[in-house]
Amino acid sequence: VDLFVAEAKTLVSLSHGNIVPVYELGVVDDTYFIAMEYIDGPTLWQLTEAVFAHGAPLPPPVAAHVAAEIARGLDYAHRKGAGVIHRDLSPRNVMLSRDGEVKLVDFGIALALGAAGDQAGSAPTGSFPYMSPEQVRREPLTGQSDLFSAGVLLWEMLVNRRLFARATAEATLQAVVSGELMAPSSLRPEVPDRLDQVAARLLARDPAARYPTARAALADLGRFLYSLDPPPASRDLAAMVARLCPPTVRRATEGVGERHDESAPHTRPAPAAGDGPPSTAVVPRPGADGTTRHRTFATHVALDKVLQALPAPAEDDDERFDRAPTADDGRGAAAAEAVGPSTVVTPRRDSAPRLPASPDAG
């Protein structure tokens, strides 16, 4: 719960086109939730898995475009305020919208720049195949750690295979620290030399040889992209997403109460329960009795009920628009019954009735 709340507090301070924003943090019947922007599209993991299955790798310019957008988001996060290190940059935490946008998500284990990381003797926190060598060794981290992870993502997009993933966690971590790093062009000759150089510098195991900042990496990627005619753009990525990851239609009740998998990219899994109570205080909702679940989102069903409960306004009855309905008002009572006992519906002259919370949403 503490990590969940910390993630929301971190994301609230970040407002950038390459980072998925948080709209609300709340708690309902002791269950915490984060309301985030809905991204219609796959994760980078889903796209690359589809690419692997089709056998046709991503065009190098498109891979460079995705890497540049990732670097753009990291540059902002690293420079915002005291700076934020993502620490868990993996293809599952990069979203690709059907409009061709690239957005970072899941800052659940993010650290402020200069903050202490994992304790010595503990398992490193993050996605093992995508963490930096210094993260594996549980050393103090800088923004360069995220750049190594971005380098792994670029290498995999260029080569069409996983770089450090092995059969066991121990073998994976060993590969991160000392595994062979081959130039992408040695495995895929059509990869330009300039992308070889960018990947090599991002993946330098010595931070001193790595790019010092995400902005420096973005500059090199930008020089390569703008040397192309025409340079790749969001429309090119959108076309690949549409071809390789077409949208699927699911019934609204499908999977309710079940664990969701990678096929639901917008799902935010609830945090696992710990051994003890959370140190973050639980704030009960007003009127909560501990047994009734309070639902907070309206549906078209509730909208229909409210519209049917409200009579058409008379043209000469201006007072109707200037006051809220009361319990003594027939239409107010009907609307209150439709929406909920604590809801007040105020009709407006210039628009349809505004619909607040509904007890009918699931």
Side-chain angles (χ1 to χ4, degrees):
V1 171
D2 291 337
L3 287 173
F4 196 69
V5 173
E7 175 183 3
K9 292 180 178 179
T10 297
L11 283 175
V12 162
S13 68
L14 301 178
S15 177
H16 190 270
N18 295 112
I19 298 176
V20 177
V22 161
Y23 295 141
E24 185 179 5
L25 167 68
V27 56
V28 178
D29 292 345
D30 298 352
T31 299
Y32 286 83
F33 70 88
I34 290 177
M36 311 177 76
E37 178 188 10
Y38 172 74
I39 307 299
D40 180 18
T43 62
L44 182 58
W45 172 269
Q46 290 172 307
L47 180 66
T48 52
E49 285 293 298
V51 167
F52 297 168
H54 283 75
L58 285 173
V62 174
H65 170 72
V66 174
E69 294 298 294
I70 292 172
R72 203 181 309 276
L74 290 176
D75 174 56
Y76 173 83
H78 294 167
R79 293 185 297 105
K80 178 66 174 178
V84 176
I85 307 172
H86 191 289
R87 277 211 307 171
D88 196 17
L89 187 62
S90 74
R92 288 185 175 87
N93 291 334
V94 178
M95 300 283 310
L96 309 173
S97 80
R98 300 199 179 278
D99 294 324
E101 299 170 303
V102 179
K103 292 179 179 277
L104 306 182
V105 70
D106 197 354
F107 282 68
I109 61 171
L111 281 178
L113 284 173
D118 296 318
Q119 299 297 320
S122 63
T125 303
S127 300
F128 288 2
Y130 300 95
M131 59 178 52
S132 65
E134 58 266 32
Q135 191 172 354
V136 173
R137 295 189 292 265
R138 293 173 286 283
E139 297 172 353
L141 302 181
T142 67
Q144 290 177 293
S145 178
D146 285 341
L147 298 185
F148 187 93
S149 303
V152 179
L153 298 182
L154 175 61
W155 192 97
E156 293 184 348
M157 287 188 287
L158 292 173
V159 176
N160 203 33
R161 56 182 272 193
R162 301 301 175 199
L163 177 55
F164 294 130
R166 301 291 188 270
T168 66
E170 293 76 11
T172 297
L173 294 177
Q174 186 60 40
V176 171
V177 174
S178 60
E180 183 181 9
L181 289 173
M182 301 181 66
S185 62
S186 66
L187 300 171
R188 190 181 167 198
E190 62 266 35
V191 174
D193 291 340
R194 293 179 69 175
L195 289 185
D196 269 349
Q197 296 168 12
V198 172
R201 193 170 178 189
L202 285 170
L203 290 169
R205 289 194 168 96
D206 181 3
R210 207 176 300 161
Y211 283 106
T213 63
R215 176 171 290 185
L218 178 59
D220 272 0
L221 287 167
R223 278 189 283 269
F224 166 74
L225 291 171
Y226 286 110
S227 70
L228 305 176
D229 186 21
S234 298
R235 61 180 179 274
D236 301 296
L237 179 59
M240 293 212 66
V241 169
R243 180 169 60 87
L244 296 172
C245 302
T248 57
V249 178
R250 304 197 317 168
R251 293 187 302 114
T253 56
E254 183 179 346
V256 172
E258 301 174 359
R259 190 188 208 104
H260 293 280
D261 58 18
E262 290 290 330
S263 65
H266 59 280
T267 301
R268 283 291 281 113
D275 295 331
S279 61
T280 302
V282 175
V283 181
R285 288 170 58 96
D289 56 9
T291 59
T292 302
R293 181 170 178 78
H294 292 262
R295 298 172 172 87
T296 60
F297 296 96
T299 68
H300 67 283
V301 177
L303 178 61
D304 290 341
K305 288 183 178 180
V306 173
L307 292 179
Q308 292 170 7
L310 294 174
E315 292 183 358
D316 58 350
D317 188 2
D318 289 341
E319 183 184 1
R320 184 185 302 276
F321 299 96
D322 298 327
R323 64 183 180 87
T326 64
D328 297 331
D329 195 328
R331 61 185 175 84
E337 180 179 359
V339 181
S342 61
T343 302
V344 175
V345 179
T346 305
R348 293 166 53 106
R349 192 199 320 262
D350 56 347
S351 66
R354 298 280 181 93
L355 184 63
S358 166
D360 294 321

